[in-house]
Amino acid sequence: LTNAAMASSAARVQVFARVRPRLPGEIDHPCVDALSPTSVSVNAKGAWRTFQFDGVWSSMAPQEQVYNGVRRVVHGACGDTAGVVIACGQHRTGKTHTLMGTAGTRSSRGIIPRALADGFRLYAGAVIRISWIEISSGAAVSLLSVARRTSGRQKTGFAADASTLEACSVECTSLKGALDVIQAGTAS
């Protein structure tokens, strides 16, 4: 990209879509298809509609390709540019997979572990503050405080306002420590 193209795209919200693999009942009746690197077709009650995005990844896209699409947001947030990566969608549509990836090899890591690795690599000695917040049914729940409070008991979230959520963050000074915090939030 040219500097002008980067500046104009950085000044606006960018929206990307990742198409999840089809569920067994959708094999013969697909509801979403990635048409191109920037368009998705959605079957809504038998009528196909096409939507444009800044980027589209098929269900076969490797985690590295997805992260490379949002890397500029991460690097900007490590510097002086505000940025956020949000995963939204219905239950079981791949949000956690995209953000966290799967346990195992480095290549299966999602956006969050890759962003943390980049942050600690780019800024040696950095302290990264982590909050793990889920928003569902209009309530914000800090999964880190849930993980701390439950310790094997029944896990019940709590709704919180912004000041409470700020207090539910953890400072990390290493990639391993940050990944451990994130794993505790994921387990909630």
Side-chain angles (χ1 to χ4, degrees):
L1 291 175
T2 65
N3 286 340
M6 287 180 66
S8 68
S9 65
R12 64 178 179 79
V13 172
Q14 293 184 301
V15 180
F16 296 85
R18 186 177 199 184
V19 177
R20 67 163 166 73
R22 292 183 183 153
L23 298 175
E26 298 169 340
I27 300 296
D28 295 329
H29 306 286
C31 58
V32 178
D33 277 325
L35 298 178
S36 75
T38 59
S39 66
V40 169
S41 185
V42 177
N43 185 348
K45 299 181 182 178
W48 286 91
R49 295 183 59 196
T50 300
F51 297 90
Q52 298 297 314
F53 295 89
D54 292 290
V56 171
W57 299 290
S58 75
S59 61
M60 302 305 292
Q63 295 285 48
E64 181 178 15
Q65 183 181 0
V66 175
Y67 180 66
N68 286 338
V70 299
R71 182 184 303 260
R72 185 173 46 207
V73 174
V74 173
H75 287 206
C78 288
D80 61 354
T81 304
V84 64
V85 175
I86 299 172
C88 59
Q90 293 177 317
H91 182 66
R92 299 189 53 89
T93 56
K95 298 175 297 293
T96 301
H97 175 73
T98 296
L99 291 175
M100 294 302 301
T102 54
T105 65
R106 189 175 298 241
S107 66
S108 66
R109 287 183 174 175
I111 292 170
I112 292 172
R114 289 171 188 272
L116 290 168
D118 271 1
F120 284 114
R121 182 179 50 78
L122 293 169
Y123 301 95
V127 175
I128 295 178
R129 180 181 297 261
I130 297 175
S131 298
W132 190 255
I133 300 167
E134 177 180 82
I135 301 172
S136 181
S137 301
V141 177
S142 171
L143 297 180
L144 294 182
S145 61
V146 171
R148 282 191 227 143
R149 289 194 341 251
T150 57
S151 309
R153 296 190 314 265
Q154 179 68 29
K155 292 182 168 88
T156 56
F158 69 99
D161 62 20
S163 61
T164 305
L165 292 174
E166 176 65 25
C168 297
S169 63
V170 177
E171 289 187 350
C172 300
T173 57
S174 71
L175 178 58
K176 182 185 179 331
L179 293 175
D180 287 348
V181 167
I182 293 298
Q183 184 60 42
T186 302
S188 296

